[in-house]
């Protein structure tokens, strides 16, 4: 049961009375059954749409299961006056959560951390030399957190950049993996993430076969890491194809 | 021939855009002389409005309202609080309006938009003073527990008529609100009753089995100062 301190009365979210039986299954070594009925190595179906926000240079909306994210890209636009001259462009990223994104209000993940990770994931893919002295702003808003939020944000951000016409070396696709006892599950939901022993996230440029970012947390054995990386890279290349087809659809829709 | 026409169209389009940027006042005056607006609407018509309910699954009630390109997402989350001593039978509503940086190029992270606190206060005043929601319906156990409804409205795309869209989405979110069934357990805290356990043990009777939805008094919303429209919202739910 969560307690929450607010300005006026203290409030809390009523929590369910049922006990969690899932935790025990990991320790007995039986196979993990996923809450949404997917296979262990099956990703969530992806819904991607560009042009979600009219006032932005480029934008995209992504829905992976329950994780819903909107990303807007503004720019290239003038850098702040305090910034020093630079002959390559700058990238500015910001990720924020709505207050209703998580089941318990106000329990957002560390968004400053996510902003800098998004920056690191994207900066390798953008051709910064194409917009010297200016800044490209990438703003992400997580409408609903459904697990594996950062990979969804990164994939959505690269779609939004492509929609804005920023020059990229390649699309950036990102997938994460969780280690639950002896099971490896791809694209975890929030419940699975909370029970995980270790997490691995890979961001790569599928057509160039280059990895821009890899994050490993928790407890991993070497053979498991190899297996997880291979699965993630395969999933990334499939996601890359889906992103390309989404962009092609958007272009052909405007041409009609 | 086609390409010559194509390039003519492009250059004339760019001239219009340039004129709009350089002389905005004259651009709009020219249109108003013909009683028409730059997007082709006559003066008395509002933009296409759409509302969809249940956009966010993690909230108790939510709605997405669009007026033209202006998009607002409103969500209501319910939390339990101890009611104030002078009104033990009433819950409380907290309304907050946010303009995240995605909505407009004028908003930067760390520097909130000027319009946001103004609209937030306007909305707060409108919804609370209109008496649309009877706070007594938000009570659970008199004097001990009541619902605190946190209404958060996020502007996803800012294209004018922000207050109208925000109000529309707020009312729609309240109309979609489903109050969860809860009961008071032995520690004096309110707990959710999950659907699976309905056959098994219920220590205490659910406190609010009957009242699952809010009754909204019918209220009139006037939209869009340029194009007054009356929208009667809210039929009694039970």
């Amino acid at each position: 049961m969560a307690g929450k301190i607010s300005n006026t009365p203290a409030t809390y979210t009523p929590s369910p009375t049922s006990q969690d039986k899932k935790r025990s299954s990991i320790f007995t070594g039986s196979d993990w059954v996923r809450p949404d009925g997917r296979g262990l190595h099956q990703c969530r179906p992806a819904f991607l749409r560009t042009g979600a926000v009219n006032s932005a240079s480029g934008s995209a909306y992504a829905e992976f299961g329950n994780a819903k994210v909107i990303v807007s890209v503004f720019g290239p636009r003038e850098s702040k006056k305090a910034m020093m001259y630079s002959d390559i462009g700058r990238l500015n990223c910001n990720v924020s959560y709505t207050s209703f994104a998580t089941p318990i209000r106000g329990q957002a993940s560390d968004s400053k951390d996510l902003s800098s990770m998004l920056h690191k994931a994207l900066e390798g893919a953008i051709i910064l030399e194409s917009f010297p002295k200016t800044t490209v702003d990438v703003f992400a808003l997580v409408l609903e957190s459904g697990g594996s939020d950062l990979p969804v944000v990164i994939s959505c951000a690269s779609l939004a950049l492509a929609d804005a016409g920023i020059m990229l070396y390649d699309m950036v696709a990102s997938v994460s993996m969780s280690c639950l006892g002896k099971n490896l599950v791809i694209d975890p939901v929030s419940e699975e993430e909370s029970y995980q022993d270790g997490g691995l996230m890979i961001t790569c440029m599928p057509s160039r076969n280059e990895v821009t970012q890899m994050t490993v947390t928790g407890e991993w054995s070497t053979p498991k890491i190899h297996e997880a990386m291979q699965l993630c890279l395969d999933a990334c290349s499939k996601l890359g194809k889906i992103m390309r087809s989404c962009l092609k659809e958007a272009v052909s829709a405007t041409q009609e | 021939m086609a390409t010559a026409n194509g390039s003519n169209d492009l250059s004339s389009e760019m001239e219009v855009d340039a004129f709009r940027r350089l002389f905005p006042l004259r651009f709009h005056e020219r249109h108003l002389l013909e009683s028409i607006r730059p997007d082709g609407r006559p003066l008395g018509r509002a933009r296409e409005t759409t509302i969809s309910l249940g956009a966010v699954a993690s909230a108790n009630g939510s709605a997405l309202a669009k007026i033209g390109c202006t998009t607002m997402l409103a969500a209501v989350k319910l939390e339990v609080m101890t009611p104030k001593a002078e009104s033990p039978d009433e819950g409380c509503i907290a309304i907050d309006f946010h303009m995240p940086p995605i909505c407009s190029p004028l908003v930067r992270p760390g520097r909130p938009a000027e319009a946001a606190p103004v609209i937030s206060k306007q909305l707060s005043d409108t919804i609370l003073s209109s008496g649309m929601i009877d706070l007594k319906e938000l009570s659970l156990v008199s004097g001990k527990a009541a619902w605190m409804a946190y209404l958060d409205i996020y502007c996803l795309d800012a294209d004018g008529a922000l207050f109208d869209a925000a109000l529309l989405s707020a009312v729609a979110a309240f109309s979609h609100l489903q109050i969860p069934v809860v009961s008071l357990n032995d520690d004096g805290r309110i707990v959710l009753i999950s659907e699976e356990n309905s056959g098994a043990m219920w220590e205490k009777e659910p406190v609010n089995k009957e009242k699952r939805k809010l009754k909204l008094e019918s209220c009139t919303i006037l939209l869009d100062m340029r194009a007054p429209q009356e929208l009667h919202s809210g039929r009694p739910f039970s």
Side-chain angles (χ1 to χ4, degrees), chain B residues 66-218:
Chain B
K66 281 181 77 144
I67 297 185
C69 288
T70 303
T71 311
M72 295 278 170
L73 179 64
V76 183
K77 272 193 98 83
L78 294 173
E79 294 206 347
V80 182
M81 68 164 196
T82 331
K84 290 196 271 259
E86 54 268 11
S87 46
D89 274 324
E90 287 186 358
C92 192
I93 306 179
I95 302 173
D96 213 357
F97 177 75
H98 306 259
M99 282 184 73
I102 59 164
C103 71
S104 150
L106 303 168
V107 181
R108 302 261 176 175
R111 192 188 300 164
E114 289 168 1
V118 173
I119 297 184
S120 188
K121 184 85 180 38
Q122 267 184 306
L123 272 174
S124 224
D125 290 340
T126 311
I127 294 180
L128 293 175
S129 67
S130 70
M132 178 175 80
I133 295 171
D134 185 5
L135 293 178
K136 294 205 176 357
E137 294 212 343
L138 291 175
S139 162
L140 283 170
V141 178
S142 173
K144 291 217 196 102
W147 288 118
M148 173 92 161
Y150 287 104
L151 171 69
D152 290 295
I153 305 170
Y154 280 82
C155 177
L156 302 180
D157 197 354
D159 195 21
L162 296 181
F163 177 69
D164 301 326
L167 188 56
L168 203 53
S169 64
V171 176
F174 272 118
S175 75
H176 177 254
L177 178 63
Q178 184 98 0
I179 303 181
V181 184
V182 291
S183 73
L184 191 61
N185 81 357
D186 302 320
D187 301 328
R189 286 180 78 96
I190 301 276
V191 289
L192 278 181
I193 298 178
S194 64
E195 304 298 315
E196 298 105 43
N197 278 354
S198 46
M201 20 118 221
W202 261 343
E203 279 126 28
K204 304 277 179 196
E205 267 300 298
V207 169
N208 58 349
K209 209 160 139 191
E210 268 76 40
K211 302 176 290 178
R212 295 291 300 279
K213 287 203 144 206
L214 284 182
K215 179 174 160 185
L216 296 175
E217 296 301 324
S218 57

Side-chain angles (χ1 to χ4, degrees), chain B residues 215-231:
Chain B
K215 179 174 160 185
L216 296 175
E217 296 301 324
S218 57
C219 61
T220 316
I221 302 181
L222 290 165
L223 286 182
D224 230 1
M225 292 173 299
R226 286 172 296 198
Q229 281 177 9
E230 281 187 0
L231 188 72

Side-chain angles (χ1 to χ4, degrees), chain A residues 1-15:
Chain A
M1 303 205 208
K4 184 178 111 56
I5 315 292
S6 65
N7 292 341
T8 40
T11 58
Y12 60 91
T13 310
S15 63

Side-chain angles (χ1 to χ4, degrees), chain A residues 84-184:
Chain A
M84 282 172 37
Y85 171 82
S86 103
D87 51 3
I88 57 168
R90 263 186 263 263
L91 176 65
N92 177 29
C93 295
N94 189 276
V95 179
S96 57
Y97 277 72
T98 56
S99 55
F100 44 82
T102 50
I104 299 173
R105 189 172 183 269
Q107 197 201 37
S109 317
D110 192 4
S111 58
K112 256 196 175 162
D113 199 19
L114 293 181
S115 305
S116 73
M117 289 177 76
L118 176 64
H119 187 282
K120 290 198 182 77
L122 293 176
E123 66 180 349
I126 301 182
I127 306 180
L128 293 167
E129 291 79 16
S130 65
F131 49 94
K133 300 184 277 185
T134 52
T135 302
V136 163
D137 288 317
V138 177
F139 298 133
L141 181 68
V142 179
L143 301 174
E144 199 183 326
S145 164
S148 184
D149 294 331
L150 185 59
V152 177
V153 169
I154 293 174
S155 312
C156 192
S158 101
L159 257 186
L161 283 167
D163 187 45
I166 309 284
M167 294 185 71
L168 302 169
Y169 288 112
D170 188 14
M171 297 299 295
V172 177
S174 174
V175 168
S176 74
M177 197 116 198
S178 266
C179 180
L180 293 158
K182 64 175 178 67
N183 301 125
L184 281 177

